[in-house]
Amino acid sequence: MTLRLITAGESHGPGLTCVVEGLPAGLELDLERIDRDLARRQLGYGRGGRMKIEHDKADVTAGVRHGHTLGGPVAIQVANRDYANWEVRMNPWPVDEPVPAVHLPRPGHADLVGLQKYGLDDVRDILERASARETASRVAGGALAKALLSALGVEIRSHVLQIASVQAPRPAQLTVSSFDGVDDSPVRCLDPEAEQAMVKEIDTLRRGNESLGGVFEVIVFGVVPGIGSHVSWEQRIDGLLAQAVTSIQAIKAVEVGDGIEVAGLPGSQAHDEIFYDDERGYYRRTNRAGGVEGGMTNGEPVVVRGFMKPLPTLTKPLQSVDVATHEPAQALRERTDSCTVPAAGVVAEAMVALVLAGAYREKLGGDHIDDMRAALAAYEQRIGWRR
Ligand code: EPS
């Protein structure tokens, strides 16, 4: 059984729901850790007014008893506090007051094509579900996957490498503890100089009514070799990671390891040579492959970078068309964030966790977390892998 995440909810509806199916029984959960990830997702310089309204908290309503999973689906609700201001416009049931429809699709958003595909005529019927508010439920579900991975010795961290045109230098050897203070940085960047320049860039572009994109990096430590498989395309772990990270709102590209750079290098400089010693077993001195070879993890840290486009809601809107009249018009102007790259890194941690936890379930099987631990120990012994 692999791991499955279902999310439900609209940005300004009554609330968000996530269901995670496929967790083993006996997994210890910590509500504070789930809430901490929800709070981390709300951080970051460049957020809009909405984040002052929401204080996301996980309300676990199924699948957990006295802090341990029961083996059935786990359900988590996250309230939308802003619903109090949207009760008429977003009520699940008919209301007496007139609710004006939105007819001005934003370029770069799901608005126009969503109307066409679903046969609707109010952009709000599309944008509410397309909104990145949905990522709060992904982070709640991802926190459960992280708990499972953590029980198996795997830790996931993320940081920001670029915001708009400001690039941080690529840090050399990162370990789990390199990330200790990363959430104290307003842009979740490990380089203090780049951090300052990023904050300045956000201020400058925001003043010019612009939005900003950027690049984040997720690194996974402690992954055993052999997660995923070369034998069929849909089991290749790099493909699964790319799908999961690209599915995050506004992500347009994903890089595994140094995938983009090595495309321009000769083969002799593009790979990670293999070494062995009795104490460490097999090891590499470089990690250009980002911990994945042949669609399988190879025991090195798994490195995934996500490239985010500038958010498509602009305070100075782009040219669009009124879908009711077909006349030229400016796109919808809504309250918005200017930059969500730091938050997107936290969401990507969740998506990477869900993919890896699913692949661990596939590899190790088991109904109880202790079954998984025993299977992992036997496998590690068979391949002689040392952390
Ligand atoms: C979003 C627009 C903004 C964001 C929202 C995503 O919401 P609002 O229109 O209410 O100001 O704040 O993100 C969240 C609410 C969140 O929790 O991340 C959009 O259009 O995608």
Side-chain angles (χ1 to χ4, degrees):
M1 158 86 77
T2 56
L3 211 63
R4 185 164 179 225
L5 167 78
I6 296 181
T7 73
E10 282 70 45
S11 181
H12 304 95
L16 305 168
T17 303
C18 98
V19 177
V20 174
E21 186 184 34
L23 289 167
L27 176 67
E28 191 175 344
L29 296 178
D30 177 354
L31 181 58
E32 255 177 52
R33 279 196 147 192
I34 306 173
D35 282 342
R36 199 183 315 146
D37 267 358
L38 287 171
R40 291 172 66 233
R41 193 201 67 91
Q42 292 200 262
L43 293 176
Y45 197 73
R47 300 305 296 266
R50 178 78 182 271
M51 287 306 104
K52 293 190 182 74
I53 300 172
E54 304 298 343
H55 301 286
D56 294 340
K57 295 268 179 239
D59 182 10
V60 178
T61 55
V64 181
R65 181 161 181 248
H66 301 160
H68 289 82
T69 54
L70 297 171
V74 176
I76 302 181
Q77 320 274 345
V78 179
N80 284 331
R81 289 167 57 133
D82 205 16
Y83 180 62
N85 306 313
W86 288 76
E87 235 180 305
V88 172
R89 282 170 290 177
M90 286 304 294
N91 203 296
W93 304 110
V95 290
D96 294 333
E97 298 88 328
V99 177
V102 178
H103 286 148
L104 305 171
R106 292 158 296 173
H109 221 284
D111 301 350
L112 177 59
V113 69
L115 288 188
Q116 292 174 308
K117 178 175 164 67
Y118 286 89
L120 299 167
D121 51 25
D122 182 351
V123 169
R124 186 151 302 285
D125 288 336
I126 301 301
L127 74 84
E128 285 287 336
R129 178 65 185 155
S131 161
R133 174 74 186 145
E134 185 256 354
T135 60
S137 18
R138 299 192 195 209
V139 168
L144 306 178
K146 280 185 181 179
L148 173 57
L149 290 171
S150 199
L152 301 171
V154 177
E155 291 298 326
I156 303 189
R157 299 290 183 272
S158 74
H159 63 126
V160 169
L161 287 174
Q162 183 178 336
I163 285 184
S165 66
V166 180
Q167 285 185 358
R170 289 273 164 104
Q173 196 80 39
L174 292 173
T175 61
V176 174
S177 60
S178 312
F179 293 87
D180 282 354
V182 72
D183 292 321
D184 300 331
S185 159
V187 283
R188 306 194 61 254
C189 178
L190 293 173
D191 185 88
E193 234 171 83
E195 168 194 297
Q196 279 191 9
M198 287 172 180
V199 167
K200 219 169 131 200
E201 180 94 331
I202 294 170
D203 283 337
T204 308
L205 286 170
R206 185 158 54 178
R207 268 198 301 274
N209 291 304
E210 291 288 3
S211 61
L212 301 84
V215 183
F216 57 79
E217 179 175 78
V218 179
I219 309 188
V220 194
F221 300 92
V223 185
V224 74
I227 296 300
S229 178
H230 65 294
V231 299
S232 66
W233 67 267
E234 76 264 44
Q235 286 174 280
R236 286 186 172 255
I237 203 71
D238 38 7
L240 292 167
L241 290 167
Q243 196 278 331
V245 175
T246 316
S247 79
I248 300 168
Q249 290 82 340
I251 304 305
K252 294 300 276 185
V254 169
E255 180 183 26
V256 178
D258 293 343
I260 292 171
E261 195 193 340
V262 298
L265 294 178
S268 59
Q269 293 169 37
H271 300 286
D272 307 303
E273 291 183 305
I274 302 172
F275 302 90
Y276 184 88
D277 75 40
D278 288 340
E279 215 171 282
R280 294 173 69 178
Y282 295 110
Y283 67 96
R284 328 283 165 129
R285 290 181 181 148
T286 54
N287 187 19
R288 297 173 183 124
V292 180
E293 289 175 304
M296 291 169 280
T297 57
N298 66 5
E300 298 298 322
V302 173
V303 181
V304 180
R305 299 191 188 105
F307 295 70
M308 188 176 206
K309 69 183 179 183
L311 300 174
T313 308
L314 293 174
T315 43
K316 193 167 133 210
L318 294 176
Q319 182 67 39
S320 185
V321 171
D322 185 316
V323 294
T325 64
H326 293 170
E327 292 298 325
Q330 288 205 323
L332 171 67
R333 193 184 158 147
E334 282 227 314
R335 175 183 64 191
T336 181
D337 304 305
S338 317
C339 178
T340 56
V341 183
V346 178
V347 179
E349 289 174 23
M351 296 312 293
V352 166
L354 285 156
V355 166
L356 289 176
Y360 263 84
R361 292 292 287 138
E362 204 147 284
K363 170 112 189 76
L364 302 176
D367 298 307
H368 191 279
I369 183 64
D370 290 346
D371 300 343
M372 292 190 77
R373 283 200 183 99
L376 179 62
Y379 173 63
E380 286 181 0
Q381 197 181 6
R382 170 165 77 73
I383 63 170
W385 191 60
R386 299 116 166 121
R387 275 167 204 286

